[in-house]
């Protein structure tokens, strides 16, 4: 195997038009009229997209596998069948008002590498696999990155399967109902060995677009914590209940929310705090609110800052003791990526004469969990106007193809040794 010519062959076989077609075909599942996608985890649209991906991967000569949390793996055998695979991939589920690229690009880039391998016939020692991780977004079933998390920590599986969405439907029920759709896809255990994992993803922020750079060599991912704050009151008649007789849940929740924003404003430039969902019950125009539930998403690169913010959320909730309670529904620690993988990505971008920069990820990714399982790294491509988690999410096809070539070169290098 001549690594230099192999890399030239495989990167030359990456087909920009085929990649663009695949991104469009995947976006058709859960397509929104505004050009975005609504393909939330474990919905019929999500399962239909996974069936499409299984059939496509097989048409590229790959074998398909799945595991008990619904993760998919598309495997191109290597010369050494016993060697742990080099894996790429991302997630296919989306936000309700998602774009066509968040997660989906990493899946499409991996599949395009499989197609380029089939076209070029480049041999590689280790098997190469493309993973489609279940429920990365976490917006329907918290926590996020559920599939990658169960893969790297199988003891979490039962708790995840019992997790319900706001309608009471559980992950386990959805997977069981869809099971016949994948009866021809063999099951394999969680946590199988992985030699290295490289995820390709859009940046989802403005840094690379502002710098005019094509490739992001990702240093790591900041920490993320999710909370649910529930405030209870007493439903009462809006017209006949005097102010002094009210226990208005929304009034108390508004004081807590005001405290959340004050904590955000008091934090340093890197702190991110978001009240993404707030529901008021019973939600009738002439009933004093009985219950408010709000989510808080907190992000920062330093664990100590996340701890301090959590302490503040506890204080804000305690100020309404007996009526307000705080539950932490997810905690992802700040995570750094493997130096060797970062070097591999950086060298691949240099050899392809692509502009590159070191960057930290504001978004969490499945790679955050894989980093506990094996040497892991990420390749970013720029997001136009830094926009994501928005139907207008966009990246130039030439940048998507450039990221795919860097991925192809990185995977081949890692699969040769
Ligand atoms: O929320 C995140 O960071 C990821 O995009 N799901
Ligand atoms: Mn994503
Ligand atoms: Mn996302
Ligand atoms: Mn991700």
């Amino acid at each position: 195997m001549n690594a230099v010519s192999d890399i030239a062959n495989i990167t030359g076989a990456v087909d920009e038009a085929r990649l663009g077609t695949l991104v469009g075909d995947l976006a058709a599942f859960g397509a929104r009229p505004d050009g975005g996608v609504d393909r939330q985890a474990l919905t019929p649209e999500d399962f239909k997209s996974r069936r499409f991906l299984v059939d496509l991967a097989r048409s590229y000569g790959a074998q398909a596998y799945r595991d008990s949390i619904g993760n998919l793996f598309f495997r191109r055998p290597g010369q050494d069948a016993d060697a742990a695979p080099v894996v790429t991939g991302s997630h296919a589920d989306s936000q309700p008002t998602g774009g066509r690229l968040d997660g989906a690009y990493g899946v499409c880039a991996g599949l395009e590498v499989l197609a380029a391998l089939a076209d070029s016939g480049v041999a590689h020692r280790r098997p190469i696999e493309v993973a489609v991780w279940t429920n990365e977004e976490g917006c329907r079933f918290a926590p996020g990155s559920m599939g990658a998390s169960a893969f790297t920590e199988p003891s979490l599986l039962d708790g995840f399967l019992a997790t319900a969405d706001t309608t009471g439907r559980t992950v386990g029920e959805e997977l069981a109902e869809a099971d016949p759709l994948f009866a021809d896809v063999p099951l394999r255990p969680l946590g199988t060995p992985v030699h290295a994992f490289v995820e390709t993803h859009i940046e989802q922020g403005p840094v690379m677009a502002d710098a005019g750079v094509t490739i992001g060599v990702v240093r790591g991912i900041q920490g993320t914590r999710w909370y649910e704050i529930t405030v209870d009151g007493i439903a009462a008649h809006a017209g006949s209940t005097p102010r002094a007789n009210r226990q208005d849940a929304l009034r108390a929740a508004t004081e807590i929310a005001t405290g959340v924003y004050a904590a955000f404003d008091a934090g340093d430039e890197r702190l991110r705090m978001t009240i993404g969902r707030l529901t008021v019950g019973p939600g009738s125009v002439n009933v004093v609110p009985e219950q408010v539930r709000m989510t808080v998403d907190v992000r920062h690169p330093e664990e100590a800052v996340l701890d301090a913010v959590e302490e503040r959320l506890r204080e804000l909730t305690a100020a309404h003791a007996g009526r307000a309670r705080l539950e932490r529904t997810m905690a992802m620690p700040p995570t750094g990526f493997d130096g060797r993988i970062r070097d591999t990505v950086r060298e691949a971008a240099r050899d392809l004469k692509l502009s590159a920069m070191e960057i930290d990820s504001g978004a969490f990714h499945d790679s955050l969990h894989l980093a506990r399982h094996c040497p892991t790294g990420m390749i970013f491509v720029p997001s136009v106007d830094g926009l994501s988690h928005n139907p207008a999410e966009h990246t130039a096809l030439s940048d998507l193809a450039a990221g795919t070539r860097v991925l192809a070169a990185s995977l081949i290098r890692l699969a040769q040794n």
Side-chain angles (χ1 to χ4, degrees):
M1 281 174 259
N2 174 332
V4 173
S5 63
D6 285 346
I7 288 175
N9 286 343
I10 187 66
T11 52
V14 168
D15 181 328
E16 180 171 309
R18 181 170 56 194
L19 175 66
T21 301
L22 178 51
V23 168
D25 290 347
L26 186 52
F29 297 94
R32 290 167 46 93
D34 56 13
V37 294
D38 177 4
R39 195 171 57 240
Q40 295 183 64
L42 308 181
T43 56
E45 287 304 330
D46 183 27
F47 285 120
K48 277 184 245 169
S49 75
R50 290 150 171 261
R51 183 69 242 180
F52 161 77
L53 293 169
V54 166
D55 297 337
L56 182 72
R58 284 177 169 160
S59 75
Y60 291 160
Q63 301 151 354
Y65 298 90
R66 62 189 166 123
D67 66 21
S68 43
I69 191 84
N71 296 320
L72 292 172
F73 303 90
F74 306 134
R75 180 183 179 98
R76 180 179 165 85
Q79 289 156 331
D80 180 352
D82 300 328
V86 174
V87 182
T88 185
S90 191
H91 59 97
D93 64 296
S94 82
Q95 288 285 327
T97 56
R100 302 153 63 97
L101 297 170
D102 177 2
Y105 166 53
V107 171
C108 293
L111 281 163
E112 176 51 33
V113 172
L114 290 185
L117 282 166
D119 291 349
S120 65
V122 166
H124 42 90
R125 183 170 86 81
R126 295 179 177 279
I128 291 177
E129 293 189 356
V130 180
V132 183
W133 302 110
T134 296
N135 184 28
E136 189 272 355
E137 294 293 352
C139 44
R140 181 185 176 197
F141 300 103
S145 287
M146 194 179 264
S149 189
F151 178 80
T152 54
E153 268 188 270
S155 63
L156 296 172
L157 176 67
D158 291 345
F160 286 164
L161 294 175
T163 302
D165 66 7
T166 51
T167 70
R169 196 81 174 129
T170 67
V171 167
E173 286 167 343
E174 295 292 17
L175 287 170
E177 190 171 289
D179 195 70
L181 202 55
F182 302 94
D184 61 331
V185 181
L187 272 164
R188 72 183 197 189
L190 291 166
T192 48
V194 177
H195 176 64
F197 181 71
V198 185
E199 180 174 6
T200 318
H201 206 286
I202 53 173
E203 180 208 330
Q204 300 184 285
V207 173
M208 292 173 67
D210 291 350
V213 167
T214 305
I215 299 298
V217 183
V218 187
R219 285 183 286 238
I221 302 180
Q222 66 179 342
T224 301
R225 292 188 191 172
W226 284 356
Y227 302 89
E228 176 131 304
I229 296 176
T230 305
V231 186
D232 292 317
I234 297 174
H237 196 292
S240 54
T241 312
R243 185 169 45 228
N245 298 47
R246 292 181 176 214
Q247 280 210 22
D248 181 338
L250 184 53
R251 188 164 192 149
T254 304
E255 287 173 27
I256 293 172
T258 305
V260 169
Y261 291 119
F264 188 10
D265 294 343
D268 70 45
E269 263 318 294
R270 297 173 299 171
L271 179 61
R272 305 279 186 272
M273 293 177 74
T274 309
I275 298 176
R277 186 170 59 226
L278 185 146
T279 51
V280 181
S284 167
V285 62
N286 44 1
V287 177
V288 175
E290 181 180 31
Q291 186 179 75
V292 172
R293 301 168 70 110
M294 72 173 109
T295 60
V296 187
D297 174 315
V298 183
R299 316 237 181 159
H300 196 277
E302 294 165 26
E303 200 82 75
V305 172
L306 294 171
D307 288 340
V309 168
E310 181 165 313
E311 183 49 35
R312 184 62 190 134
L313 294 180
R314 294 202 184 288
E315 288 166 4
L316 288 167
T317 313
H320 298 267
R323 294 178 54 199
R325 59 187 179 282
L326 176 77
E327 182 195 356
R328 191 168 84 176
T329 56
M330 185 179 83
M332 291 183 177
T335 299
F337 287 140
D338 180 274
R340 191 171 58 94
I341 307 293
R342 287 169 52 190
D343 293 345
T344 302
V345 168
R346 191 180 305 109
E347 285 155 21
R350 183 203 57 209
D351 294 350
L352 285 163
K353 298 183 179 34
L354 295 167
S355 59
M357 67 185 290
E358 307 294 308
I359 189 168
D360 299 314
S361 179
F364 64 74
H365 299 284
D366 297 307
S367 293
L368 185 142
H369 297 284
L370 271 293
R372 286 197 308 269
H373 190 73
C374 65
T376 294
M378 291 189 76
I379 301 165
F380 272 2
V381 292
S383 293
V384 172
D385 300 330
L387 206 53
S388 182
H389 283 192
N390 181 305
E393 180 180 276
H394 182 65
T395 296
L397 180 54
S398 56
D399 287 342
L400 297 178
T404 305
R405 291 192 181 95
V406 172
L407 176 66
S410 303
L411 295 178
I412 281 297
R413 277 182 187 211
L414 292 165
Q416 302 306 32
N417 59 32

